[in-house]
Amino acid sequence: QVQLVESGGGLVQAGGSLRLSCAASGRTFSRYAMGWFRQAPGKEREIVAAINWSGGSTYYADSVKGRFTISRDNAKNAVYLQMSSLKPEDTAVYYCASHSQSYDSTTYYTGRNYIYWGQGTQVTVSS
């Protein structure tokens, strides 16, 4: 059974930083792309950042480019999202997700084909 568990969310002032972590279990982590998504109240879920199976390729939404960094540690079965220069509009529930296809490097950045999801962690940025 695949499990994804996020941690690291919280309340931070605008301009501050947070680091989200996602611990994965139940499948060979190193074979699959991982993504971070977020959903704000009243809005659709959107992809924030994604990283391919090897960590050699990454994607960022325009809204977070230059402020967020995604990384993974395949030895620890973990993916991270370092968030800096946070803005109130970054307030949302953040989810990590695991892609459906092993060794994918061509669709992971589209936000599609993610089949396993964590429970989410709340990030609140105050102005």
Side-chain angles (χ1 to χ4, degrees):
Q1 182 179 357
V2 177
Q3 283 194 316
L4 301 174
V5 180
E6 302 98 335
S7 61
L11 173 64
V12 64
Q13 287 190 330
S17 299
L18 280 176
R19 188 193 194 212
L20 305 184
S21 299
C22 173
S25 62
R27 71 193 316 212
T28 307
F29 177 79
S30 59
R31 294 179 181 177
Y32 300 93
M34 297 293 294
W36 283 100
F37 296 74
R38 68 186 180 188
Q39 187 166 23
K43 295 188 177 181
E44 291 188 356
R45 187 175 60 198
E46 61 175 352
I47 186 168
V48 174
I51 188 166
N52 78 330
W53 60 275
S54 68
S57 185
T58 57
Y59 164 84
Y60 297 95
D62 287 343
S63 58
V64 306
K65 269 181 192 174
R67 301 189 298 122
F68 291 11
T69 302
I70 188 171
S71 61
R72 66 188 296 159
D73 186 335
N74 285 344
K76 295 183 178 179
N77 289 355
V79 62
Y80 308 99
L81 186 68
Q82 177 67 47
M83 305 185 294
S84 302
S85 301
L86 282 161
K87 305 175 181 179
E89 50 263 45
D90 294 318
T91 295
V93 178
Y94 284 70
Y95 301 89
C96 72
S98 184
H99 200 268
S100 62
Q101 296 178 301
S102 59
Y103 304 116
D104 174 81
S105 290
T106 57
T107 68
Y108 76 99
Y109 56 88
T110 66
R112 298 194 302 268
N113 301 327
Y114 284 83
I115 59 172
Y116 297 107
W117 296 82
Q119 82 288 351
T121 186
Q122 177 71 46
V123 171
T124 303
V125 184
S126 63
S127 56

